[in-house]
Amino acid sequence: MKTDKNTVVGIVLLAVLFFSFFWYTNKQSQAYSDFEKRKTDSLARVNSSKITPVEKEKAIGDSIQTDSIAKQSSAGNFANAASATEQLTTLENEVFKVTFTNKGGRVKYAELKNYLSNDGKPVRLGGGAYDNIGYTINTSPNSSAGTSELFFTASAPVRKSDGNQLIIFSLENATGSAVVHQFLIKPNDYKIAWNILLSGADKLLSNNTLNMQFRAAPVLHESSVEYERRMSNVCFSVNNEFDYISAHNDEKFDQPVQWLSAVQQFFNVSVIAKNNFNSGTVHWTRKEDSSNIIGTVDASLQIKTPVSASVTIPLELYYGPNDYKILQTAAPEMDKIINLGRDFYSFVRPINKYMVMPVFNFFASLVSIYGWVIALLTIFIRLITSPLVYKSYLSGSKMKLLRPELDTLRKKYGSDQQAFSMEQMKLFKGAGVNPLGGCLPLLLQIPIFFALYSFFNSNIALRNQPFLWTHDLSAYDILVKFHTKIFIIGDHISLFALLAVVTSFLISLYNMNMTATDPNNPALKYMPYIYPVFMFIIFNNLPAALNWYYTVSNVITLAIQFVIQRYIIDHDKILAQMDAKRKAPKAKSKWQERYEQMMESQKKVQGMKQKAQNTKK
């Protein structure tokens, strides 16, 4: 025994020594690495300081010359387009201002006139270092280059008699091959028609395939980068059916693609193929760092062209808002970018499309303040659900009237829950009471809540709309702002969320008072106090519009309950009806007979077990 004890002590000491050794070694290694890094950085600074301005200028010149030679080589027969000065041209209509660049002969960015970003400036879509759209062409038999790296020649913009504006970018070489980009902007339209004309397409394209690269890095336009990232995704139409990816994911397209869109909470940039993309891939990454970039989209889309020397490829670009009516006319299935219910919650889309949205738009046409529009929508929803809600309140009143008899049964059967449950069921059936009737308002609120959650999150009409103390109904309001994020709660407290929680708490207390509950069950006893805590954690980061709806709905619920209980429901009459129901002869259903037989059998078995235990004692 002593030997075993010594062995254990020895193993423990060896383990301590090993851990100490590895800890000390790692620490020394890290210290050495830090020392070497400081030494290297110091030497680099010393060596850099030794370089004269002339040597620095020469090194920069050599780098530029090397880069220029590489560009000239890849440009092949288009060598005259390898380098030039970038020139910007701006066209505008009533809704946006589009800036084109001769580098790539493409749209550089678009500014939306009717929408402001979180910094107070017009929303700008595109224009970042990552944003790009172009394709690869063969510049010579042995080289290729991306059009976004070549400098096109821009024509003077032309305004037509119908208000359309046209600008053309061209790229030609000595062998007769040419690339022409035609861009057409129509009045009051967020779409840009883009026609690609290729002369000598059999030489410019490999295997008669145009391989387009569409890259986008949407930036923050709302008040919360975390929330906007959560609401952003990539949407597309494959084989004329809408689909999307939300998380970090890759998607491969083996069927025709009609359009692909980099979608933010309220805006999107899309590329639309009039004759479909034949195949492609897309990679979507949602950012999780401290930058203002929402995510990155990297798509490769292929178009098969006819076997011909001259080819025209009709495309369209969309730089604009996620507005339901606008997207309905932009491209087939594009209106589904507006998330009115998807996947598991797709059952709420018809509720939004055929009830919530039309009613909301009707009230918005009458009232200019959207907070009151939401209040009117709430009243409308409560009115159409009121008949069912009345039945639930009636059931609750009956439950309250049965409370004295239930208390008597609890005292009679004590801890025998099985016997109590059986007698309780008989009591409810005899009085004609449905114990689940009071759950109906909650069940009704579930699909309506999910429908409005989707609707308010995606409704651009609420964006930057002030109401009471909030300046934006589409985002959470801030009563208290913390300097750091608090676990679960976040970096703020929302006043609208507090109002929603407080009114829900009052409803819980009222329902608890109206419903016959088991006083011995602590979970039911403390649920009205626990539920608001979890509710606040969820609601604190939701849009003010949704919290305002929930608050108004709760206030209406409290008012309806008070009026119905005090002035509509006749408790004496209900009690008389319940007594008459109990005295009337009752026909038992087969299911009830089997259930009662089962309960009686279980009661007998339990009695036999209890008797056996008493005999042993």
Side-chain angles (χ1 to χ4, degrees):
M1 204 66 174
K2 185 177 180 181
T3 304
D4 292 341
K5 183 178 179 181
N6 290 338
T7 302
V8 171
V9 172
I11 292 173
V12 171
L13 288 175
L14 284 172
V16 171
L17 287 172
F18 273 119
F19 279 117
S20 301
F21 172 77
F22 285 124
W23 175 80
Y24 180 77
T25 303
N26 288 333
K27 186 177 179 181
Q28 290 295 103
S29 176
Q30 183 64 40
Y32 180 75
S33 297
D34 293 342
F35 171 75
E36 286 295 317
K37 187 177 184 303
R38 289 195 298 271
K39 180 180 176 182
T40 303
D41 293 342
S42 178
L43 289 173
R45 286 193 295 269
V46 171
N47 291 332
S48 177
S49 64
K50 292 180 180 178
I51 300 175
T52 63
V54 175
E55 290 174 329
K56 284 184 179 180
E57 186 176 349
K58 184 176 182 302
I60 294 171
D62 291 342
S63 176
I64 294 173
Q65 185 177 4
T66 302
D67 185 54
S68 178
I69 293 171
K71 287 182 178 180
Q72 290 284 342
S73 177
S74 64
N77 296 328
F78 294 89
N80 59 336
S83 59
T85 302
E86 184 178 18
Q87 297 177 348
L88 304 179
T89 306
T90 300
L91 301 181
E92 60 181 298
N93 60 13
E94 294 80 0
V95 295
F96 67 176
K97 184 186 295 183
V98 183
T99 299
F100 297 89
T101 174
N102 64 327
K103 187 178 181 181
R106 63 184 180 87
V107 175
K108 191 174 182 71
Y109 59 84
E111 288 186 353
L112 310 186
K113 293 184 176 182
N114 300 324
Y115 300 96
L116 298 179
S117 188
N118 62 329
D119 59 1
K121 298 178 181 178
V123 169
R124 175 181 289 190
L125 302 177
Y130 191 84
D131 297 281
N132 191 17
I133 183 167
Y135 52 93
T136 303
I137 59 172
N138 298 322
T139 55
S140 70
N142 299 315
S143 61
S144 63
T147 56
S148 58
E149 295 301 320
L150 299 175
F151 288 86
F152 287 61
T153 300
S155 68
V158 175
R159 179 181 288 273
K160 299 185 177 182
S161 58
D162 57 2
N164 293 342
Q165 300 175 71
L166 176 69
I167 186 171
I168 299 174
F169 294 89
S170 58
L171 194 67
E172 299 179 0
N173 66 11
T175 64
S177 297
V179 179
V180 176
H181 291 174
Q182 295 178 345
F183 293 98
L184 183 71
I185 294 178
K186 298 178 181 179
N188 287 300
D189 198 345
Y190 288 99
K191 284 193 301 182
I192 305 168
W194 177 23
N195 290 325
I196 301 175
L197 288 72
L198 301 177
S199 297
D202 51 339
K203 297 176 182 178
L204 292 172
L205 302 179
S206 300
N207 301 319
N208 301 309
T209 302
L210 183 140
N211 188 9
M212 177 167 288
Q213 301 297 319
F214 172 64
R215 297 195 309 174
V219 297
L220 174 68
H221 291 303
E222 312 309 320
S223 58
S224 170
V225 66
E226 292 88 357
Y227 200 76
E228 189 172 0
R229 283 171 176 172
R230 200 188 317 163
M231 296 294 109
S232 301
N233 48 52
V234 173
C235 298
F236 41 84
S237 175
V238 179
N239 209 20
N240 294 309
E241 291 186 3
F242 173 83
D243 203 352
Y244 75 104
I245 51 177
S246 180
H248 301 260
N249 208 346
D250 293 279
E251 190 78 19
K252 184 177 181 181
F253 306 121
D254 296 321
Q255 294 178 314
V257 178
Q258 288 70 55
W259 53 266
L260 186 140
S261 180
V263 180
Q264 298 176 243
Q265 184 176 3
F266 292 117
F267 306 98
N268 79 82
V269 176
S270 304
V271 56
I272 305 166
K274 302 292 285 185
N275 297 326
N276 299 337
F277 297 105
N278 297 94
S279 58
T281 59
V282 62
H283 177 74
W284 157 246
T285 303
R286 182 181 285 111
K287 290 290 186 179
E288 297 178 352
D289 54 21
S290 59
S291 70
N292 68 338
I293 297 177
I294 302 301
T296 56
V297 180
D298 191 351
S300 176
L301 302 165
Q302 290 77 44
I303 297 178
K304 278 286 185 181
T305 61
V307 181
S308 174
S310 297
V311 171
T312 299
I313 302 171
L315 303 168
E316 287 182 325
L317 302 173
Y318 180 88
Y319 289 82
N322 296 338
D323 185 287
Y324 187 81
K325 290 184 177 180
I326 295 173
L327 293 180
Q328 272 186 315
T329 60
E333 296 287 299
M334 209 164 175
D335 58 291
K336 291 185 178 178
I337 284 177
I338 312 296
N339 183 9
L340 298 178
R342 292 177 185 164
D343 299 329
F344 182 75
Y345 304 105
S346 58
F347 68 95
V348 305
R349 184 175 179 83
I351 299 175
N352 276 323
K353 188 174 181 180
Y354 300 111
M355 185 186 76
V356 175
M357 187 183 296
V359 174
F360 179 89
N361 292 337
F362 171 74
F363 287 134
S365 67
L366 302 177
V367 182
S368 60
I369 300 175
Y370 278 90
W372 299 125
V373 173
I374 294 171
L376 291 173
L377 174 67
T378 309
I379 294 171
F380 171 81
I381 291 173
R382 297 311 307 271
L383 282 175
I384 63 174
T385 58
S386 58
L388 294 175
V389 171
Y390 172 76
K391 291 183 179 180
S392 70
Y393 293 154
L394 187 61
S395 177
S397 298
K398 291 179 180 180
M399 293 284 290
K400 184 178 181 180
L401 293 172
L402 290 176
R403 181 181 292 179
E405 295 183 56
L406 288 172
D407 291 340
T408 302
L409 289 176
R410 286 193 184 93
K411 292 178 181 178
K412 179 179 179 180
Y413 292 101
S415 60
D416 191 350
Q417 288 296 322
Q418 189 174 11
F420 171 76
S421 299
M422 190 166 69
E423 293 300 321
Q424 184 186 43
M425 188 190 71
K426 290 181 181 178
L427 178 63
F428 287 157
K429 183 171 180 61
V433 174
N434 181 7
L436 299 178
C439 299
L440 191 57
L442 180 60
L443 295 176
L444 280 174
Q445 287 190 48
I446 291 174
I448 293 174
F449 175 81
F450 284 131
L452 292 173
Y453 174 81
S454 300
F455 180 74
F456 289 141
N457 270 318
S458 58
N459 191 352
I460 196 170
L462 298 173
R463 187 177 183 271
N464 290 336
Q465 290 295 328
F467 181 66
L468 299 179
W469 52 83
T470 184
H471 66 279
D472 187 356
L473 281 168
S474 69
Y476 54 74
D477 65 296
I478 299 176
L479 173 65
V480 178
K481 182 74 174 180
F482 304 121
H483 296 294
T484 185
K485 287 188 176 181
I486 298 176
F487 179 66
I488 298 178
I489 294 177
D491 60 355
H492 70 281
I493 291 178
S494 164
L495 180 54
F496 274 123
L498 286 176
L499 290 177
V501 170
V502 169
T503 51
S504 295
F505 175 67
L506 294 176
I507 291 174
S508 297
L509 289 180
Y510 185 87
N511 290 337
M512 187 177 177
N513 183 57
M514 291 296 300
T515 307
T517 57
D518 185 0
N520 299 320
N521 191 335
L524 295 176
K525 185 178 179 180
Y526 295 107
M527 185 57 68
Y529 305 96
I530 298 173
Y531 171 70
V533 176
F534 290 100
M535 185 178 172
F536 176 75
I537 292 170
I538 297 171
F539 278 52
N540 193 46
N541 291 299
L542 294 183
L546 188 62
N547 282 319
W548 171 239
Y549 158 79
Y550 212 76
T551 301
V552 175
S553 179
N554 288 340
V555 171
I556 294 173
T557 298
L558 287 168
I560 289 175
Q561 287 181 337
F562 179 80
V563 171
I564 288 177
Q565 297 295 340
R566 285 294 184 94
Y567 302 105
I568 298 178
I569 293 179
D570 188 339
H571 294 83
D572 294 333
K573 184 178 179 181
I574 293 173
L575 190 59
Q577 290 174 346
M578 289 167 55
D579 289 338
K581 180 80 174 176
R582 278 187 278 198
K583 293 175 182 178
K586 301 174 184 62
K588 294 183 180 180
S589 65
K590 292 183 178 180
W591 179 87
Q592 186 180 1
E593 289 177 354
R594 286 196 295 269
Y595 181 79
E596 290 181 356
Q597 288 174 2
M598 181 184 69
M599 295 295 288
E600 288 290 346
S601 300
Q602 289 181 355
K603 189 175 180 180
K604 288 180 180 180
V605 171
Q606 187 175 2
M608 292 174 65
K609 288 182 179 179
Q610 186 68 34
K611 187 176 180 181
Q613 290 176 356
N614 293 336
T615 303
K616 289 180 181 180
K617 292 179 181 179

